[in-house]
Amino acid sequence: MLNRCAAFWFEKTKGVVPNHVLDVPDPCAMVATECALIPVEMVVRSYLTGTTSTSIWVRYEAGDRLYCGHKLPDGLRKHQRLERP
């Protein structure tokens, strides 16, 4: 399932940014060129949640009110829906 999801998004975004996919001959296989890893991860959520030291909830609970450029008001609760993602 993960390979099929990845193949879908690589196909949809190939006009935006080049990717490493050469072919998807089977739903469980992908042929790709070797490339250098760029260690970036992005998670977009609409809720104040998370459990890791870099999650929005953990940082908010620790008193941070500026997270990834977003100003957060006091008084929010864990798992509360954010005004915008």
Side-chain angles (χ1 to χ4, degrees), residues 2-82:
L2 182 58
N3 193 64
R4 292 176 72 184
C5 289
F8 174 86
W9 286 111
F10 282 131
E11 177 65 26
K12 289 287 187 189
T13 60
K14 70 182 181 183
V16 178
V17 63
N19 62 55
H20 64 305
V21 179
L22 298 175
D23 191 21
V24 183
D26 183 87
C28 296
M30 182 179 291
V31 179
T33 58
E34 188 172 351
C35 54
L37 174 68
I38 301 173
V40 175
E41 179 179 3
M42 181 184 303
V43 178
V44 179
R45 292 196 176 116
S46 295
Y47 294 86
L48 186 68
T49 192
T51 58
T52 66
S53 63
T54 58
S55 72
I56 189 171
W57 170 251
V58 172
R59 300 307 325 139
Y60 183 85
E61 188 177 39
D64 293 346
R65 295 299 181 262
L66 183 63
Y67 186 81
C68 297
H70 298 277
K71 293 180 183 176
L72 301 168
D74 289 330
L76 298 178
R77 297 177 319 277
K78 187 173 186 177
H79 307 308
Q80 181 175 339
R81 184 174 180 84
L82 298 169

